[in-house]
Amino acid sequence: MAPPDLPLFERDREQAVLSAVIGELRSGRPALVTVTGEPGLGQNELLRWAAGQARARGVHVLAARATSAEHELRYGVVAQLLAPEARDIATRLFVAPQRPGGLPGLNHLLTACHDRPTLLVVQDVQWLDPASLRWLEALARRLPRAPLALLTSTTGTAIDRPEWSVGTPLTGLASTIELALPPLTTSGVSAAVRTVCGVPGDTDFTDALAQATRGVPAVVHEVLLRFTRTGCAPRAEHVEHLRALTAEVVGDHAAQALSELRDPVAVDVLRALAVCGDLLDFPLVCTLAGLHPVPEARLRATLMASGLLTPRDGSPPGHDAVVRARILEEMPAADRADLYARAARLAQRVAVADQGIAELLLRARPVGAPWAVATLRRGFAAALRSGRRDRATAYLARALDEPLRSEERARVELQLASVQMVTAPTAAERRLHGLIRSTGTGTGLRSQAVDLCLLGGDTRAARLAQPTGPGTLGDPAPCDADVPAPRRGSGTGSPPGRRARAVAGDATAPRGGNTSDPSHRDGSDEHPERTTTADNDATVSERDELATVGDRHELATVSERHELIALLRVARFLRHEETCPGVPPAPALPEHSHSPAVAGVRAWEHAMAGVHLEASRRLARAAFAPDPGGRPPLVTPRLFACRALFLTDDGDEAEAHLATLLNEAHRQRAAIAIAHVLAVRADLHLRHGRPDAAARDLAAAEAELPPARLHPLFVPYWASLNLVADLQNGRPDRAREIAARPVPSLSEECATSAYLLFARGVLARSEDDPQRARAYFRACGRWLLHYGCVNPAVLPWRSLAAEAAHALGDDAEALRLTREEVRLAARWGTRSALGRAELGLAVVIRENRTEHFRAAVATLSESPARTDYTRAVLELASAESAEAERRTALALTSRRASTAGGVAPGPLPGFSQALPAPAGVPPGRGAAPHPRPPAGWPALSPAEHETALLAASGLANREIATTLSVTTRAVELRLSGVYRKLRIRGREELRALRYGPEGG
């Protein structure tokens, strides 16, 4: 209740009414005044103030207070009122036998009131004992005949509501007044802050105090007293501390009210309300509390009188969380868990929403019913849909406390780990390692656990999955050695030795970075025309081989083994640990397997080695076929299959598969899979010249998987994507910030480091720093060769390093690197890789440069490399301008527009070479130097610069729109901006600025 020294803020109206009542009482006019409101609003303080005013005016005052402890004490309040009149009244009231209609002491009081006006003050009439209630009601009926006023206070609805409080005919001619106290307004709270703290409070501080305390004066006063003891000023920076103090005060008030509640039935109902008051209505809550003879209306009145229940909907008051916590803290833990379990059963029977039942089950003991796990899993899905990952993981963790079959338990563990990979990766790894080591894990779950670990950056999990004994993943013996041989007459088969050979590993580059200069090695002696046994030998299939097993368990075992080998190969690519002591080399992929996972990883390994283009394309597509044994598909091998399709110039097909993967990940609510799919799609967008779409995908990926949660193995890859996207979107400052950002030490041990080195080289190239650019590109090449990647389609580091070397005057190195890239690109066989290589050669070579540029334009015109094609056209136009032969460039552009049907495909190859920047870029390497750029040239945006160069080369607006894949209107707007910034009148002046006074 309110402390005695609580100032009566914003109670002027009530004080004026009580002063008037006291004045009329001195004139012999009786009155009945009831002051109501929630606990803490100052009812009793107002009554004490009125009693003081009455005494000061010579009015006789008799006061009493009802309490819950004396609710059953007969005439307890009457004894307090009459004690000043007769000292022995208490003894006579408590000892004398109760007679029907007896009202002891009432006539004596009425007789004494005729001689002097009397004010009776009774606090907390909600706790009146029945005898005192009848006595006061009888007094109210006799008021018109005596100069006496009855002033009472109550909180909410009394247990037995006094009839005088509503102005019934019982009161006759006496004035009946009910004063309902409101909470303090913001102005009142501000005045309280100024009074208690001594200084005015900040607006934010005052608003936070009013909101947290709901304007209850008792809570406001006590919170401010505790706050001032800390020595803090009422400023905005202390708002969180203020809220913590408010929670403590509200909890103390609730604990005090609970201690005053003596009725055990009311206590049980109050606890049941604290558990499920928001889910069940009051009659069901009373049912949950158990059978009892107390009427529902009386229970509700008792709880409202205690201040622990409000009349709005039968739920605890506004401070729900704090009050409920204090109520439930008083219960033993076992009783509390049992109450939650009974509440969950009742809620399930009356069809409460799943999340409501799941909330009850979180704190309940195991109920041992199938519906509990199903409800928790549905609550998990609903929580993920609303973005509450912490709540979702809590639901699944609670489901594991229920009795489950081993396979169902493993599935719940896997589902839980997929979310914890983002919220608690260490716990997720421990959980997944347990699944991987378990022998009773269901079909496909071990592979899915390893797959999830790889998405989280844990490469150790792939080795944990190795079985023991000969013929295992870590054993150099053939991985299929334990598969029974085909039955006689069942078809042809391969010898065990042939079956065990690995094709992808034979076609890759030599491992181990023992060559200081990566430009002297291509990592493979194979020729494009060579093929592997896996590509040509179709006589044995895994379906035929497994059909001979005759046992579904063995079929699943072989399929799982193939998947785990594929995942181990992925782990080897992510982190090359085979040079570490005690780490056995990763086994080769099974030569004959219909596992989609094996197909996806094999496609990537072919692409890394830069050999067998058609086989890589075919295997990448096979990675998305259904598994013959019905096993669930894995995410990581399919992501690598999509990346292989990037390199085979099948970007549109890869984008469709990525959309399928993204939809699947969204259905499963696997945030980490969503993030990785979005990152790979951002890579695709960059390769296709869509940096704005790449930036959107990267932002969405970081929303699913915050950078702080990203495993160090993937930090370089994501950083490189962000760096290049910012650079291509015209944000070089952000790109420099990303390039300068330190990466974890573990990031320097993984294959993705090559991507960040390449991106830093691209940034240095855009800043016209060939020395630094060459260093980065050479380092990128060393790292790629260390991991067996020689395909220039992955990252064209050779040609860019050659351009940097050419700018530094090292033409010999430049020619050697570009010719090597041309040879490797020709071996791989895609038009984009070959066209980029030819473009790089044309940039650095001195003889027949124009012919080399024509060859690059012709090759790139049939590839999806749109940006590289645009650059090749510009370089060709620049070279032809020196020879006054621009018609070839125009003819080639028109031919491309006609063959492409008005659609110009294409991207940057693995962050491909950006167009020359508007300023600060050296003149065409080996070509005649361009004139000094005009004054407004640096002000052009990248899009305007690109359009201006094409227009200056003689292309019409429609041809420029086709080349850049934009509308003709967009070209017109860009050229208008160019003319305005350069202060010229049209295309002829633009050509004069671009090519000099001769016009080419």
Side-chain angles (χ1 to χ4, degrees), residues 194-431:
R194 185 168 53 252
T195 301
V196 178
C197 298
V199 293
D202 286 352
T203 302
D204 292 341
F205 182 90
T206 303
D207 292 343
L209 179 62
Q211 181 180 8
T213 61
R214 295 185 300 118
V216 177
V219 180
V220 170
H221 189 256
E222 189 168 346
V223 168
L224 289 175
L225 288 178
R226 296 190 187 186
F227 182 80
T228 55
R229 293 192 196 108
T230 64
C232 299
R235 298 289 180 264
E237 57 265 25
H238 302 303
V239 166
E240 291 303 322
H241 178 52
L242 175 74
R243 292 192 176 113
L245 287 176
T246 304
E248 291 180 6
V249 172
V250 171
D252 292 344
H253 283 208
Q256 180 181 353
L258 186 62
S259 66
E260 294 174 354
L261 194 60
R262 306 294 180 179
D263 187 349
V265 175
V267 172
D268 290 341
V269 173
L270 184 63
R271 289 171 174 173
L273 277 170
V275 167
C276 57
D278 290 338
L279 299 175
L280 305 176
D281 56 18
F282 194 78
L284 286 175
V285 171
C286 294
T287 302
L288 178 64
L291 297 175
H292 50 78
V294 183
E296 177 186 324
R298 184 174 182 84
L299 277 174
R300 190 187 295 271
T302 301
L303 295 176
M304 290 178 182
S306 70
L308 295 171
L309 188 69
T310 58
R312 60 181 183 217
D313 57 359
S315 62
H319 305 279
D320 291 339
V322 177
V323 173
R324 289 179 179 180
R326 285 301 182 99
I327 291 173
L328 296 175
E329 280 175 2
E330 305 296 326
M331 296 183 67
D335 294 346
R336 184 167 58 245
D338 181 71
L339 178 59
Y340 271 108
R342 291 189 287 112
R345 288 196 188 95
L346 181 59
Q348 195 268 341
R349 286 200 299 271
V350 297
V352 172
D354 288 333
Q355 278 197 278
I357 304 175
E359 284 293 322
L360 295 175
L361 289 171
L362 277 183
R363 300 166 181 84
R365 58 170 175 76
V367 298
W371 61 262
V373 176
T375 301
L376 287 167
R377 296 184 75 172
R378 290 194 298 268
F380 160 81
L384 280 185
R385 282 194 298 270
S386 60
R388 302 166 61 205
R389 287 177 180 160
D390 291 340
R391 214 57 177 171
T393 57
Y395 291 152
L396 279 193
R398 171 61 183 84
L400 293 173
D401 294 337
E402 297 290 334
L404 296 169
R405 293 179 292 104
S406 59
E407 184 171 348
E408 186 180 7
R409 179 174 296 277
R411 293 188 182 280
V412 174
E413 293 263 11
L414 185 68
Q415 195 174 22
L416 175 57
S418 69
V419 180
Q420 286 183 327
M421 270 296 181
V422 176
T423 60
T426 303
E429 287 181 8
R430 287 198 301 266
R431 196 177 299 279

Side-chain angles (χ1 to χ4, degrees), residues 507-528:
T508 57
R511 300 170 186 132
N514 56 358
T515 300
S516 59
D517 187 353
S519 62
H520 289 288
R521 51 190 284 194
D522 61 10
S524 177
D525 295 329
E526 297 192 35
H527 300 285

Side-chain angles (χ1 to χ4, degrees), residues 499-554:
R499 188 184 314 138
R501 283 199 302 269
V503 177
D506 297 337
T508 57
R511 300 170 186 132
N514 56 358
T515 300
S516 59
D517 187 353
S519 62
H520 289 288
R521 51 190 284 194
D522 61 10
S524 177
D525 295 329
E526 297 192 35
H527 300 285
E529 63 272 11
R530 291 184 56 183
T531 56
T532 65
T533 305
D535 298 329
N536 296 331
D537 186 2
T539 58
V540 178
S541 68
E542 186 191 32
R543 188 188 301 273
D544 298 331
E545 183 178 341
L546 295 179
T548 66
V549 177
D551 189 335
R552 289 183 61 88
H553 176 71
E554 290 193 33

